[in-house]
Short mmCIF file of all heavy atoms in Angstrom, two decimals:
data_model
loop_
_atom_site.label_atom_id
_atom_site.label_comp_id
_atom_site.label_asym_id
_atom_site.label_seq_id
_atom_site.Cartn_x
_atom_site.Cartn_y
_atom_site.Cartn_z
N GLY A 1 -67.69 -73.30 -118.84
CA GLY A 1 -66.63 -73.99 -119.49
C GLY A 1 -66.84 -75.47 -119.54
O GLY A 1 -67.93 -75.95 -119.27
N LEU A 2 -65.81 -76.17 -119.93
CA LEU A 2 -65.81 -77.65 -120.01
C LEU A 2 -65.11 -78.21 -118.77
O LEU A 2 -64.01 -77.76 -118.43
CB LEU A 2 -65.09 -78.09 -121.29
CG LEU A 2 -64.86 -79.57 -121.45
CD1 LEU A 2 -66.20 -80.33 -121.58
CD2 LEU A 2 -63.96 -79.83 -122.67
N VAL A 3 -65.78 -79.16 -118.15
CA VAL A 3 -65.23 -79.76 -116.96
C VAL A 3 -65.52 -81.27 -116.95
O VAL A 3 -66.57 -81.68 -117.51
CB VAL A 3 -65.76 -79.09 -115.66
CG1 VAL A 3 -67.27 -79.30 -115.57
CG2 VAL A 3 -65.06 -79.56 -114.43
N GLN A 4 -64.67 -82.07 -116.34
CA GLN A 4 -64.93 -83.53 -116.28
C GLN A 4 -65.94 -83.82 -115.18
O GLN A 4 -66.05 -83.06 -114.22
CB GLN A 4 -63.59 -84.23 -116.02
CG GLN A 4 -62.62 -84.17 -117.13
CD GLN A 4 -61.38 -85.01 -116.92
OE1 GLN A 4 -61.12 -85.44 -115.79
NE2 GLN A 4 -60.69 -85.34 -118.00
N PRO A 5 -66.60 -84.93 -115.31
CA PRO A 5 -67.51 -85.36 -114.23
C PRO A 5 -66.82 -85.41 -112.92
O PRO A 5 -65.63 -85.87 -112.83
CB PRO A 5 -67.96 -86.74 -114.66
CG PRO A 5 -67.87 -86.73 -116.16
CD PRO A 5 -66.66 -85.84 -116.47
N GLY A 6 -67.43 -84.89 -111.89
CA GLY A 6 -66.89 -84.81 -110.57
C GLY A 6 -66.10 -83.53 -110.29
O GLY A 6 -65.70 -83.23 -109.16
N GLY A 7 -65.92 -82.70 -111.34
CA GLY A 7 -65.20 -81.47 -111.19
C GLY A 7 -66.08 -80.34 -110.68
O GLY A 7 -67.23 -80.51 -110.33
N SER A 8 -65.44 -79.15 -110.62
CA SER A 8 -66.13 -77.97 -110.08
C SER A 8 -65.97 -76.78 -111.02
O SER A 8 -65.00 -76.66 -111.77
CB SER A 8 -65.52 -77.57 -108.73
OG SER A 8 -65.69 -78.64 -107.78
N LEU A 9 -66.94 -75.86 -110.93
CA LEU A 9 -66.93 -74.58 -111.61
C LEU A 9 -67.61 -73.58 -110.74
O LEU A 9 -68.47 -73.95 -109.94
CB LEU A 9 -67.63 -74.65 -112.97
CG LEU A 9 -66.96 -75.28 -114.17
CD1 LEU A 9 -67.90 -75.31 -115.36
CD2 LEU A 9 -65.69 -74.51 -114.54
N ARG A 10 -67.21 -72.30 -110.90
CA ARG A 10 -67.93 -71.25 -110.21
C ARG A 10 -68.39 -70.23 -111.25
O ARG A 10 -67.57 -69.69 -112.02
CB ARG A 10 -67.06 -70.57 -109.17
CG ARG A 10 -67.88 -69.57 -108.33
CD ARG A 10 -67.08 -68.94 -107.20
NE ARG A 10 -66.30 -67.79 -107.65
CZ ARG A 10 -66.02 -66.77 -106.87
NH1 ARG A 10 -66.41 -66.75 -105.58
NH2 ARG A 10 -65.27 -65.77 -107.34
N LEU A 11 -69.68 -69.98 -111.25
CA LEU A 11 -70.25 -68.96 -112.12
C LEU A 11 -70.43 -67.67 -111.39
O LEU A 11 -70.69 -67.67 -110.18
CB LEU A 11 -71.61 -69.42 -112.67
CG LEU A 11 -71.69 -70.80 -113.35
CD1 LEU A 11 -73.09 -71.04 -113.87
CD2 LEU A 11 -70.66 -70.89 -114.48
N SER A 12 -70.29 -66.55 -112.09
CA SER A 12 -70.50 -65.26 -111.54
C SER A 12 -71.55 -64.47 -112.35
O SER A 12 -71.62 -64.71 -113.56
CB SER A 12 -69.22 -64.45 -111.51
OG SER A 12 -68.21 -65.08 -110.75
N CYS A 13 -72.31 -63.66 -111.68
CA CYS A 13 -73.26 -62.79 -112.39
C CYS A 13 -73.15 -61.40 -111.77
O CYS A 13 -73.56 -61.21 -110.60
CB CYS A 13 -74.68 -63.30 -112.28
SG CYS A 13 -75.91 -62.18 -112.95
N ALA A 14 -72.67 -60.46 -112.57
CA ALA A 14 -72.55 -59.11 -112.13
C ALA A 14 -73.78 -58.29 -112.64
O ALA A 14 -74.07 -58.29 -113.82
CB ALA A 14 -71.28 -58.46 -112.62
N ALA A 15 -74.44 -57.61 -111.67
CA ALA A 15 -75.63 -56.85 -112.02
C ALA A 15 -75.32 -55.37 -111.98
O ALA A 15 -74.55 -54.91 -111.15
CB ALA A 15 -76.75 -57.15 -111.01
N SER A 16 -75.90 -54.65 -112.92
CA SER A 16 -75.75 -53.18 -112.92
C SER A 16 -77.12 -52.59 -113.19
O SER A 16 -78.02 -53.23 -113.77
CB SER A 16 -74.71 -52.76 -113.96
OG SER A 16 -75.10 -53.14 -115.26
N GLY A 17 -77.21 -51.26 -112.89
CA GLY A 17 -78.47 -50.61 -113.10
C GLY A 17 -79.25 -50.51 -111.78
O GLY A 17 -78.74 -50.78 -110.69
N SER A 18 -80.52 -50.21 -111.87
CA SER A 18 -81.35 -49.93 -110.67
C SER A 18 -81.94 -51.25 -110.16
O SER A 18 -83.09 -51.60 -110.45
CB SER A 18 -82.45 -48.95 -111.01
OG SER A 18 -81.91 -47.69 -111.47
N ILE A 19 -81.12 -52.04 -109.47
CA ILE A 19 -81.58 -53.34 -109.01
C ILE A 19 -82.06 -53.32 -107.57
O ILE A 19 -82.73 -54.27 -107.15
CB ILE A 19 -80.51 -54.42 -109.21
CG1 ILE A 19 -79.31 -54.10 -108.29
CG2 ILE A 19 -80.06 -54.50 -110.67
CD1 ILE A 19 -78.31 -55.26 -108.24
N GLY A 20 -81.72 -52.36 -106.80
CA GLY A 20 -82.16 -52.29 -105.39
C GLY A 20 -81.32 -53.16 -104.51
O GLY A 20 -80.51 -52.70 -103.77
N SER A 21 -81.60 -54.47 -104.58
CA SER A 21 -80.85 -55.42 -103.79
C SER A 21 -80.64 -56.70 -104.60
O SER A 21 -81.21 -56.81 -105.72
CB SER A 21 -81.57 -55.75 -102.50
OG SER A 21 -82.57 -56.69 -102.70
N LEU A 22 -79.90 -57.65 -104.06
CA LEU A 22 -79.69 -58.90 -104.75
C LEU A 22 -80.73 -59.95 -104.48
O LEU A 22 -80.73 -61.04 -105.00
CB LEU A 22 -78.31 -59.46 -104.40
CG LEU A 22 -77.13 -58.60 -104.79
CD1 LEU A 22 -75.80 -59.24 -104.42
CD2 LEU A 22 -77.16 -58.28 -106.31
N ASN A 23 -81.68 -59.61 -103.56
CA ASN A 23 -82.79 -60.52 -103.33
C ASN A 23 -83.63 -60.66 -104.62
O ASN A 23 -83.79 -59.67 -105.35
CB ASN A 23 -83.67 -60.05 -102.17
CG ASN A 23 -82.96 -60.14 -100.84
OD1 ASN A 23 -81.97 -60.91 -100.69
ND2 ASN A 23 -83.44 -59.42 -99.85
N GLY A 24 -84.12 -61.81 -104.86
CA GLY A 24 -84.87 -62.06 -106.09
C GLY A 24 -83.98 -62.38 -107.25
O GLY A 24 -84.46 -62.47 -108.41
N MET A 25 -82.69 -62.62 -107.06
CA MET A 25 -81.76 -62.96 -108.11
C MET A 25 -81.45 -64.45 -107.98
O MET A 25 -81.48 -65.02 -106.87
CB MET A 25 -80.49 -62.20 -108.04
CG MET A 25 -80.60 -60.79 -108.56
SD MET A 25 -78.95 -59.96 -108.75
CE MET A 25 -78.26 -60.89 -110.11
N GLY A 26 -81.17 -65.08 -109.11
CA GLY A 26 -80.85 -66.49 -109.05
C GLY A 26 -80.33 -66.99 -110.37
O GLY A 26 -80.02 -66.23 -111.28
N TRP A 27 -80.22 -68.31 -110.43
CA TRP A 27 -79.68 -69.01 -111.59
C TRP A 27 -80.69 -70.00 -112.15
O TRP A 27 -81.31 -70.75 -111.38
CB TRP A 27 -78.39 -69.79 -111.22
CG TRP A 27 -77.26 -68.91 -110.82
CD1 TRP A 27 -76.91 -68.54 -109.56
CD2 TRP A 27 -76.33 -68.31 -111.69
NE1 TRP A 27 -75.82 -67.70 -109.62
CE2 TRP A 27 -75.42 -67.58 -110.94
CE3 TRP A 27 -76.10 -68.36 -113.09
CZ2 TRP A 27 -74.34 -66.88 -111.48
CZ3 TRP A 27 -75.09 -67.61 -113.64
CH2 TRP A 27 -74.21 -66.91 -112.85
N TYR A 28 -80.84 -69.97 -113.47
CA TYR A 28 -81.62 -70.98 -114.17
C TYR A 28 -80.69 -71.65 -115.18
O TYR A 28 -79.60 -71.21 -115.46
CB TYR A 28 -82.73 -70.32 -114.95
CG TYR A 28 -83.90 -69.82 -114.07
CD1 TYR A 28 -83.74 -68.77 -113.24
CD2 TYR A 28 -85.14 -70.46 -114.17
CE1 TYR A 28 -84.84 -68.33 -112.45
CE2 TYR A 28 -86.21 -70.05 -113.37
CZ TYR A 28 -86.03 -68.96 -112.54
OH TYR A 28 -87.09 -68.56 -111.75
N ARG A 29 -81.15 -72.78 -115.69
CA ARG A 29 -80.40 -73.49 -116.73
C ARG A 29 -81.31 -74.10 -117.75
O ARG A 29 -82.47 -74.41 -117.43
CB ARG A 29 -79.46 -74.54 -116.13
CG ARG A 29 -80.21 -75.74 -115.50
CD ARG A 29 -79.22 -76.68 -114.84
NE ARG A 29 -79.85 -77.82 -114.20
CZ ARG A 29 -79.21 -78.71 -113.47
NH1 ARG A 29 -77.91 -78.59 -113.24
NH2 ARG A 29 -79.90 -79.74 -112.91
N GLN A 30 -80.79 -74.30 -118.95
CA GLN A 30 -81.55 -74.93 -120.00
C GLN A 30 -80.62 -75.97 -120.70
O GLN A 30 -79.68 -75.54 -121.39
CB GLN A 30 -82.10 -73.94 -120.99
CG GLN A 30 -83.05 -74.55 -122.02
CD GLN A 30 -83.86 -73.54 -122.75
OE1 GLN A 30 -83.56 -72.35 -122.75
NE2 GLN A 30 -84.94 -74.02 -123.40
N GLY A 31 -80.91 -77.22 -120.49
CA GLY A 31 -80.15 -78.27 -121.11
C GLY A 31 -80.67 -78.53 -122.53
O GLY A 31 -81.76 -78.10 -122.91
N PRO A 32 -79.92 -79.34 -123.30
CA PRO A 32 -80.33 -79.63 -124.67
C PRO A 32 -81.68 -80.31 -124.74
O PRO A 32 -81.92 -81.35 -124.07
CB PRO A 32 -79.23 -80.57 -125.16
CG PRO A 32 -78.07 -80.29 -124.28
CD PRO A 32 -78.63 -79.92 -122.95
#
């Protein structure tokens, strides 16, 4: 979402399928 500088957000990622465990999961980003 949109937030002001200094603010906070929480992202969630729900996984489904044959993933085994949550090890090896993470977050990436791509700015303009």
